[in-house]
Amino acid sequence: MFSKIAAALVLILPTIARAQYSLVKEYAGTTFFDDWTFYGNFDNLTNGDAIFVTASQAASEKLAFVNSAGNAIIKVDNTTQVPFNDKRNTVRIASTDRFAVGSLWIADMLHLPFGCSVWPAFWSQAPDWPTGGEIDTFEGVNMVQNSQFALHTEPGCTVTNAVQTSTLVNSTDCSFQSNNNEGCQVTNPDPSSYGANFAAAGGGVFVTEFAEKGISIWFFSRKNIPSSIQGNGSTVDTTTLGTPVVNYPSTSCSIDKFFEPQNLIFDITLCGVSAAAGNPTTFAQTCSGICYNDYVIGPPSNYDNAYFEVQSVRVFGTSSAVDIKPTNGASTWAASLRHVIAGSVMAAVAYMLPAIL
Ligand SMILES: *[C@@H]1O[C@H](CO)[C@@H](O)[C@H](O)[C@H]1NC(C)=O
Ligand SMILES: *[C@@H]1O[C@H](CO)[C@@H](O)[C@H](O)[C@H]1NC(C)=O
Ligand SMILES: *[C@@H]1O[C@H](CO)[C@@H](O)[C@H](O)[C@H]1NC(C)=O
Ligand SMILES: *[C@@H]1O[C@H](CO)[C@@H](O)[C@H](O)[C@H]1NC(C)=O
């Protein structure tokens, strides 16, 4: 009897070992913006020259809306001539749901924000940062060609035994206290992972797996999207995706210990003394002039490319990781201490640049 059960278990084990995820939440179409919190304050997180508008401002100024193609636009104001000493309107939204270890999210995008003075990201964090960690799926700055990935955690999380396609590793210590909070940063090697090239290639998808065995991110330019995740399937099997571009295995970073349920975030900020885009060294690597004077208060058309166009964000979970509603709504945006640490991501982005210049 026992051996029969054992034999049966052996037969089903390979199936169990596969990472299968089922759809738990979809942000798409006319309801895309339903379950996000708009920050509604100037950028007091990274001191960017940006005002993150409220939901009603975003709607009336058309900074966050669903376009005629049914895609979500999240953008910087490109119609207002901003007076000297003022900041420019833009958007930061955080999902009201949080997603736990055992979840996976796919962001399908047609356009990413770019241009001098622009610093966009699609990322996630737990409300008590650095407790609970941060996962940066996409980050770019100014006119760089490649986007980048990172984790930011409490001290003690490092990267060893990564199985990934990117060799562009800039740091393996994820602690917010190391390397000016650069995080364990990896450059996306795909030349179509950001900027005009991303858009020209028809965009692409970022797949972020938040699993107990590790955090992995895949990037597929449009023409390379595996058939298993094309269309609107209700499940994802990560064994069909190939090797991730970046992998943070639990080997020397217990995911259960360093990570808590994450709020997904889209934001675009601008310049700032301590923010990534405005750091003079970083700025001069891909742009000329003065970040604030020539861009933020310059011609509004500087921001014609400073928008996300998102077809969908779809979140999948294993049975134990369903979406979690926060008990305290304010906490979804109160915590972005990563961004409070002056110079942190600025340094990270500056480190990335030599690789591509
Ligand atoms: C940013 O502003 C909001 C709204 O005024 C406030 O609740 C929050 O504490 C501020 N955060 C920081 C880091 O100053
Ligand atoms: C980042 O990584 C790439 C690839 O390993 C390397 O060429 C570049 O010099 C690195 N930059 C820094 C600042 O370490
Ligand atoms: C995708 O499929 C889900 C059910 O699996 C459905 O609720 C959703 O409306 C579909 N979305 C689109 C954009 O077709
Ligand atoms: C602003 O940017 C959008 C793209 O987001 C573009 O369609 C539009 O022509 C730009 N200029 C103005 C004045 O709206």
Side-chain angles (χ1 to χ4, degrees):
M1 181 60 183
F2 180 77
S3 64
K4 271 191 185 161
I5 292 170
L9 278 175
V10 167
L11 283 177
I12 62 170
L13 269 176
T15 323
I16 292 170
R18 286 169 158 236
Q20 273 278 9
Y21 297 87
S22 302
L23 189 70
V24 292
K25 180 79 186 177
E26 180 177 74
Y27 304 90
T30 52
T31 59
F32 183 95
F33 290 105
D34 284 2
D35 294 318
W36 303 84
T37 304
F38 284 73
Y39 194 72
N41 197 79
F42 70 90
D43 177 7
N44 60 359
L45 305 169
T46 54
N47 303 318
D49 294 310
I51 297 168
F52 298 128
V53 296
T54 61
S56 60
Q57 274 178 294
S60 65
E61 295 174 23
K62 296 213 90 183
L63 300 183
F65 63 97
V66 177
N67 68 10
S68 56
N71 302 325
I73 302 290
I74 298 162
K75 70 190 282 282
V76 177
D77 175 354
N78 68 333
T79 61
T80 305
Q81 181 70 55
V82 173
F84 182 69
N85 270 340
D86 281 1
K87 298 170 190 282
R88 183 170 287 278
N89 286 354
T90 170
V91 176
R92 182 189 196 275
I93 54 173
S95 66
T96 53
D97 288 336
R98 290 188 205 131
F99 303 101
V101 174
S103 57
L104 172 150
W105 45 92
I106 302 183
D108 183 330
M109 303 194 269
L110 295 171
H111 194 278
L112 296 168
F114 67 94
C116 295
S117 80
V118 176
W119 176 23
F122 171 61
W123 55 294
S124 72
Q125 68 172 13
D128 301 325
W129 193 101
T131 303
E134 167 183 336
I135 304 168
D136 298 340
T137 296
F138 153 75
E139 193 166 10
V141 67
N142 297 326
M143 294 297 284
V144 300
Q145 188 177 328
N146 299 59
S147 60
Q148 67 179 53
F149 315 97
L151 303 182
H152 298 262
T153 65
E154 290 189 295
C157 166
T158 60
V159 187
T160 47
N161 301 339
V163 178
Q164 62 186 18
T165 59
S166 182
T167 55
L168 306 175
V169 176
N170 290 100
S171 170
T172 55
D173 186 347
C174 307
S175 168
F176 77 103
Q177 290 179 351
S178 303
N179 306 321
N180 296 314
N181 188 26
E182 176 184 329
C184 36
Q185 183 198 98
V186 174
T187 299
N188 192 330
D190 193 318
S192 298
S193 63
Y194 188 47
N197 288 347
F198 178 87
V205 303
F206 291 87
V207 181
T208 307
E209 183 186 30
F210 180 30
E212 196 167 26
K213 69 175 192 297
I215 293 169
S216 299
I217 307 174
W218 289 259
F219 170 71
F220 302 105
S221 192
R222 184 70 50 196
K223 68 178 189 326
N224 300 328
I225 300 173
S227 56
S228 65
I229 56 167
Q230 285 175 12
N232 186 20
S234 59
T235 61
V236 175
D237 175 351
T238 52
T239 62
T240 65
L241 304 180
T243 305
V245 185
V246 60
N247 173 233
Y248 302 103
S250 58
T251 321
S252 53
C253 178
S254 164
I255 304 301
D256 283 335
K257 177 176 169 196
F258 288 100
F259 288 87
E260 289 171 2
Q262 304 273 307
N263 290 107
L264 306 183
I265 299 171
F266 282 95
D267 76 82
I268 314 171
T269 191
L270 309 172
C271 303
V273 177
S274 63
N279 170 262
T281 308
T282 307
F283 189 76
Q285 278 166 325
T286 57
C287 293
S288 58
I290 298 170
C291 197
Y292 179 77
N293 291 7
D294 294 327
Y295 293 91
V296 178
I297 60 171
S301 60
N302 285 334
Y303 297 96
D304 284 357
N305 275 307
Y307 67 95
F308 286 98
E309 182 171 2
V310 187
Q311 300 210 102
S312 63
V313 175
R314 306 178 80 226
V315 186
F316 300 78
T318 51
S319 54
S320 59
V322 293
D323 48 339
I324 295 170
K325 293 277 182 201
T327 49
N328 170 8
S331 65
T332 58
W333 54 269
S336 189
L337 295 173
R338 155 182 92 129
H339 285 149
V340 172
I341 295 172
S344 58
V345 179
M346 160 186 93
V349 173
Y351 286 149
M352 171 180 83
L353 295 172
I356 54 170
L357 292 177

